[in-house]
Amino acid sequence: NRFGVKLSPDERPDLEAVPGTGPFGPESRPMAGWVSLPPAMSDADAAAWFERARGWVATLPPKEPRPKGTKGAKKA
């Protein structure tokens, strides 16, 4: 089990430089913009990255809801 954070494009390379980080999400389809924290990272360091991620995500606009009835619909 790994924890991941969504960071700004400017901050992502800082975390990716830490040994043990990697893509976050399913191996076959990692989540864009997310980086997994190394398992050996200290709680204090992880908390600092969570705080940076929270700051970035707070600046993003809300997602637009999908129109009703489109979830799971087959594409033509």
Side-chain angles (χ1 to χ4, degrees):
N1 293 337
R2 300 190 86 167
F3 291 102
V5 291
K6 184 174 180 103
L7 297 167
S8 74
D10 295 335
E11 290 184 307
R12 199 172 309 127
D14 295 339
L15 179 56
E16 291 172 333
V18 175
T21 61
F24 182 72
E27 229 177 277
S28 62
R29 191 172 175 198
M31 297 169 62
W34 288 73
V35 180
S36 65
L37 301 178
M41 182 175 272
S42 72
D43 289 347
D45 286 343
W49 283 108
F50 288 133
E51 187 61 29
R52 288 171 79 170
R54 189 187 68 77
W56 166 248
V57 172
T59 69
L60 299 176
K63 284 189 170 185
E64 294 293 323
R66 290 183 180 177
K68 290 188 178 205
T70 60
K71 186 175 182 180
K74 292 183 180 181
K75 293 181 181 179

